[in-house]
Amino acid sequence: RAENSNTSRHLAEFWMVEPELAFADLVDDMDCAEAYLKHCLLHVLEHCDEDLAFFEENISKDNLRERLRQVATTEFARITYTEAVEHVLAAERKFEFPVKWGSDLQSEHERYLTEEVFKNTPVIVRDYPKAVKAFYMRENEDGKTVAAMDVLVPRVGELMGGSQREERLEVLERRIAEQGLDAETYWWYLDLRRYGSVPHAGFGLGFE
């Protein structure tokens, strides 16, 4: 999809690449997202050196290419949302936005995780509280979290987000009701499950 840019992170029109993977669970989703991001970065490093040099000189004022190469060649850390909250609560510093279990992570928390806890390493956070995520994300067995993940990178925070999708019709209907949505509006989406489905997952990556 494409939409107008209303954030501080985008210069012009915002586009979203949204792959969907059939016969895939959350681990497959995380593996694909990590591999895809690394592929994009390596391609840019190989083919767009002149552009990166321009950005280094005029925008980032640092060794941007080295930072990108580090992300492209480093194994991403993987933690649960609960572990992420524990790391933030244990921090010996104050944040502008307090965090507790059940609240969404802010950019300052995400950067703290990638830059300080994991020493400038990308981090994938998984299993978020279902209350802060969309109805179509697959509910975990604990009944409190969903099979969602966000890819966090140093100096940015969240770069990609995705989930395993809810393929169980009865759970999907309950989640729509829990969020106060009109089931009639989603008849077509429910029919995709009503007449047969498979485990599947997807993620989104925003770019200019």
Side-chain angles (χ1 to χ4, degrees), residues 37-51:
L37 178 57
K38 289 178 174 179
H39 170 79
C40 291
L41 293 178
L42 289 172
H43 181 87
V44 168
L45 286 163
E46 181 179 352
H47 298 284
C48 304
D49 191 70
E50 183 178 350
D51 295 306

Side-chain angles (χ1 to χ4, degrees), residues 22-183:
F23 307 103
D25 60 15
L26 185 62
V27 174
D28 298 319
D29 200 38
M30 293 188 294
D31 289 344
C32 183
E34 179 174 345
Y36 177 61
L37 178 57
K38 289 178 174 179
H39 170 79
C40 291
L41 293 178
L42 289 172
H43 181 87
V44 168
L45 286 163
E46 181 179 352
H47 298 284
C48 304
D49 191 70
E50 183 178 350
D51 295 306
L52 294 176
F54 176 85
F55 274 105
E56 284 184 359
E57 181 178 351
N58 297 282
I59 308 296
S60 67
K61 308 291 187 179
D62 66 357
N63 195 342
L64 174 63
R65 284 169 287 192
E66 182 56 36
R67 287 198 289 116
L68 296 179
R69 193 172 302 280
Q70 183 176 354
V71 173
T73 58
T74 300
E75 183 176 353
F76 293 7
R78 299 188 182 189
I79 60 175
T80 65
Y81 165 87
T82 299
E83 292 169 333
V85 170
E86 290 171 351
H87 280 301
V88 174
L89 290 175
E92 295 181 355
R93 54 171 288 189
K94 289 186 177 180
F95 296 96
E96 180 181 357
F97 299 97
V99 70
K100 62 180 181 179
W101 200 98
S103 62
D104 213 354
L105 297 177
Q106 302 297 316
S107 293
E108 60 176 347
H109 308 137
E110 296 166 345
R111 290 191 58 181
Y112 172 75
L113 292 169
T114 60
E115 295 168 22
E116 299 188 40
V117 176
F118 290 94
K119 311 301 182 186
N120 290 313
T121 298
V123 179
I124 302 180
V125 179
R126 59 174 289 170
D127 299 327
Y128 281 80
K130 66 180 183 180
V132 300
K133 291 297 183 180
F135 72 89
Y136 55 78
M137 298 183 176
R138 194 179 202 277
E139 187 172 284
N140 290 326
E141 292 183 4
D142 62 14
K144 300 186 300 181
T145 63
V146 290
M149 65 90 183
D150 286 338
V151 179
L152 318 179
V153 296
R155 298 187 59 171
V156 175
E158 179 191 346
L159 186 66
M160 310 164 76
S163 70
Q164 182 174 346
R165 314 311 192 190
E166 184 59 76
E167 85 282 3
R168 298 165 296 184
L169 177 61
E170 68 282 0
V171 178
L172 190 60
E173 290 174 327
R174 172 169 55 79
R175 292 286 291 126
I176 288 175
E178 286 176 353
Q179 296 203 7
L181 301 172
D182 181 11

